[in-house]
Amino acid sequence: MTNRQRVQLSLPLKAGAKVAAMRLCCGFALTLALCSSAHAAAPEIVVAYPPANSNVPYDHVIFEGHVSPSASLSINGRALNVGADGLFMEWLPLSAGKNALKLISTLGSQSRAVMFNVTFSLPRALSARPTAIKAGTLSPAQPLTLYTRVPVEGRSLVVGFQGSPGGKASVTVSGWGTFRLTEQTASARPPRAAGWYQTTLTLPENLALSAAAVKVSLTGTDGKTVTATALGKVTSNPSGAARVAEVSAADVGLGVNPSTSAFATGPETTDLLFPKQGQRLSVLGNLGEDYLVQGPDGLATALKSVLTLLPIGTPPPQAAAGTPQLLDLPDEWQVRLPIAQRTPLSLEETSAGSNAGLTLTLASASLPAGRLAAANAPELNWMPSGSALQLSVTLPQVQNWGYFVSYQQGALILHLRKAPSLDVAQPLKGRVILIDPGHGGSELGGAGSLGEPEKNVTLPIAARVADLLRAQGADARLTRDRDVRVALYDRPLMAETLKADLLISIHANALPDGVDPRQRRGLELYSFHPMTWGLASALLRSIPRSAPQLLVSTLPPLGIPGLRVSSLALTRPTSQRSLLIEMAYLTQADDLRLLMSGAGREALAQGIAQGIADDYAQQTQYQIQRQSAQPTPTAPQPFPELTPLPRAPQPDAPLVPPPAPSLPATPIPVLPLQPISEP
């Protein structure tokens, strides 16, 4: 999956978030165009990306496709590196404007020549003379209103515009003062033209403004000065009262945590707060497309479409919490917290020694500090935290297995899944595991040099993983077993309905426009919650062990080699452990060969299934230690040597011949992958 396509999995947290254009699977149509006028004996030329006659906003583009096996390829006389199988991937430099590329492929005495056009559209700068300010670029473009006194982090005012380069710019805010704007450095990546002026101001805490005009001035190299007034005016009322709003967006499942309604609590894409319908909260300001709101741990921004602003004079929200109670059920613990009103809350995974835990912070709530503890049960501790209530739960198990919040009349219910009771001899027996083959139907996913859509790569591998898990006793399910579109949030909802232990989404990676592909390859795992990190570690060991030619990505911003913490629709759910696997890069030739070969797909499926089996085997060790009252280790112990999962007969030679596994006396039924034609 490309980062460009991740907009489908992680919708914009704030208005204006940009995602680059999706890589299209255009190879088939282009093959017809490039081959139709030549003799059939001549080598073919297939450009899978970019589309012909396309415009790109960067000075380089990933130019990828394939020619006939053993054929050569040149662009404007320069030879490209082409594999024996015909694959090529080039980080192609572009000149500003239209780039006319003459492609020549030669095989023996036969050649084919075609023209291919790509346009690099530079951001256009205004002329230095006469001095001007470009219409429609001045911000703030919408009114900014602070209803009450606001902490410093909520009083930012960004002013910017595009004008003639080389000038001196300033902004005057009526009733406040005049400030300088700095011209930003022009760049190709990210695309930014010369002449962009910007500053970020912080409104004084006690400054009162009423629809103050924001007027910019630019003095150019010709000595002339031009001015413009922003559409957005600024109002600040430090002595006013906050407004009250209610979350009106419908809930999606119990612990799906959709980004469509998430509050942003910081600058990172993982700084999120997931509201529930009916919660009431204080609104401190109107930021145009967003509201500035008070969350349980500080300020946050919320899309206006998520909230309904209540009439002026509505009493401030107050949860007025009562003493927590603990209920022990067969598959979960429930913490019941009496409340008078629903208010925003946050959930954070914690640990205390060898015990996992969870901290709930509830906005606009107070309760004297207290504690509830019993043998073999969660320990509860609560205390005030500013205007919020902090409730900490320490679990009698080494990790979280899932959690979410629901409401009953007059109470908040925190649901905490118990660690499952596993069969020590067959840890996967009866465990419900949902495997999600990425994309499907009209959602093609990414594509590489062969133009093969990602959806066709993920399905056979996911199906094989499910077969291998079933052979180990698991109740493995698929979100799709054929080429159909499954709505994004239907996938985690299916996991909730099944009460699955795991939701594993399988994808193939690809790079967005503007990113150099020459050093980007290998396995990456995407997570959002710490309860998946043990499983991720097991997979990061088992997959490369099964496919030794597959590297583990180590490039920044990876803190742990191969593991990325990322806000995606299939990593945010908390009803169960949820993890997304990017097996290899479609935009790297060796990775693509692995993904497209029968042996490579088998190795990946074996590695994924074995990693899941290793994780459950480790959980049985924790279970034994708990039952025998031995101290539980504070860190995972080395995985025991397991009997390798059975390998199906291969339609082609394995990329790296594996040692012959010791098969059990009673054969375990497995289903081989369908033969796949090598590229």
Side-chain angles (χ1 to χ4, degrees), residues 27 33 82 123 172 174 246 406 421 489 494 517 548 569 588 624 660:
V82 180
T172 298
S174 300
E246 185 171 297
S406 68
S421 180
Y489 289 124
M494 190 183 303
Q588 205 283 332
I624 292 170

Side-chain angles (χ1 to χ4, degrees), residues 319-655:
T323 303
Q325 301 167 329
L326 180 65
L327 183 62
D328 190 340
L329 299 177
D331 297 321
E332 69 174 16
W333 292 287
Q334 292 183 3
V335 179
R336 185 180 189 276
L337 182 65
I339 56 172
Q341 193 174 62
R342 300 182 186 183
T343 57
L345 59 91
S346 65
L347 296 172
E348 181 181 1
E349 292 182 37
T350 59
S351 61
S354 60
N355 294 73
L358 198 72
T359 295
L360 182 151
T361 304
L362 182 64
S364 306
S366 62
L367 185 68
R371 178 174 179 266
L372 178 64
N376 300 317
E379 178 182 321
L380 310 184
N381 289 275
W382 58 91
M383 65 183 67
S385 177
S387 62
L389 173 66
Q390 193 169 83
L391 170 64
S392 297
V393 184
T394 302
L395 299 172
Q397 56 193 44
V398 297
Q399 73 168 38
N400 283 288
W401 281 80
Y403 52 86
F404 59 88
V405 163
S406 68
Y407 291 100
Q408 293 177 358
Q409 185 67 33
L412 177 156
I413 310 297
L414 174 60
H415 302 255
L416 300 156
R417 290 183 68 164
K418 293 181 178 180
S421 180
L422 302 176
D423 185 324
V424 176
Q426 197 176 7
L428 288 172
K429 183 178 179 180
R431 306 319 308 168
V432 180
I433 298 172
L434 183 61
I435 306 297
D436 172 47
H439 306 285
S442 59
E443 294 180 3
L444 305 180
S449 294
L450 298 174
E452 182 75 6
E454 181 185 354
K455 65 173 185 173
N456 293 346
V457 175
T458 60
L459 180 57
I461 295 175
R464 179 66 174 143
V465 170
D467 287 337
L468 291 167
L469 294 176
R470 292 181 191 120
Q472 299 290 326
D475 181 4
R477 311 287 186 94
L478 292 167
T479 58
R480 65 182 181 96
D481 57 8
R482 55 192 182 281
D483 185 20
V484 294
R485 179 183 179 275
V486 179
L488 187 58
Y489 289 124
D490 283 354
R491 302 170 193 239
L493 286 172
M494 190 183 303
E496 284 191 354
T497 300
L498 293 170
K499 296 184 178 180
D501 284 356
L502 297 179
L503 170 59
I504 305 289
S505 189
I506 295 177
H507 291 257
N509 220 337
L511 291 172
D513 285 328
V515 179
D516 187 343
R518 290 173 292 186
Q519 303 299 323
R520 296 293 297 270
R521 64 174 296 188
L523 173 68
E524 293 179 4
L525 269 62
Y526 288 78
S527 167
F528 194 74
H529 303 288
M531 63 178 168
T532 63
W533 293 353
L535 172 62
S537 296
L539 289 163
L540 286 168
R541 299 181 192 198
S542 64
I543 298 174
R545 192 167 59 224
S546 180
Q549 68 276 45
L550 180 66
L551 299 180
V552 176
S553 178
T554 59
L555 292 178
L558 299 174
I560 301 173
L563 178 63
R564 288 180 182 266
V565 177
S566 187
S567 172
L568 306 172
L570 292 161
T571 62
R572 289 191 301 269
T574 58
S575 298
Q576 67 287 312
R577 295 189 294 164
S578 305
L579 193 69
L580 187 144
I581 302 173
E582 294 281 10
M583 299 177 289
Y585 275 86
L586 293 162
T587 48
Q588 205 283 332
D590 289 335
D591 278 14
L592 178 61
R593 292 182 179 104
L594 178 70
L595 290 166
M596 294 304 297
S597 73
R601 292 183 179 185
E602 176 66 15
L604 290 167
Q606 291 276 349
I608 294 170
Q610 186 66 58
I612 295 171
D614 289 347
D615 177 70
Y616 274 81
Q618 182 66 68
Q619 299 301 325
T620 64
Q621 299 305 306
Y622 293 139
Q623 178 177 294
I624 292 170
Q625 289 164 352
R626 287 282 181 180
Q627 292 172 348
S628 61
Q630 295 178 2
T632 304
T634 58
Q637 300 301 297
F639 292 133
E641 291 296 327
L642 300 178
T643 301
L645 292 170
R647 288 184 178 273
Q650 293 300 297
D652 51 8
L655 299 178

Side-chain angles (χ1 to χ4, degrees), residues 177-267:
T178 300
F179 309 91
R180 180 184 175 187
L181 276 71
T182 302
E183 184 176 2
Q184 308 298 299
T185 303
S187 68
R189 279 180 286 146
R192 182 171 56 225
W196 182 261
Y197 300 86
Q198 184 170 307
T199 190
T200 300
L201 306 174
T202 300
L203 294 169
E205 183 179 14
N206 298 314
L207 178 65
L209 298 173
S210 179
V214 178
K215 185 176 182 179
V216 297
S217 173
L218 176 64
T219 301
T221 56
D222 58 4
K224 295 183 178 180
T225 299
V226 294
T227 62
T229 301
L231 295 175
K233 299 183 183 300
V234 180
T235 297
S236 176
N237 186 10
S239 62
R243 298 288 301 273
V244 178
E246 185 171 297
V247 177
S248 52
D251 293 337
V252 179
L254 299 170
V256 172
N257 301 323
S259 65
T260 47
S261 59
F263 297 171
T265 59

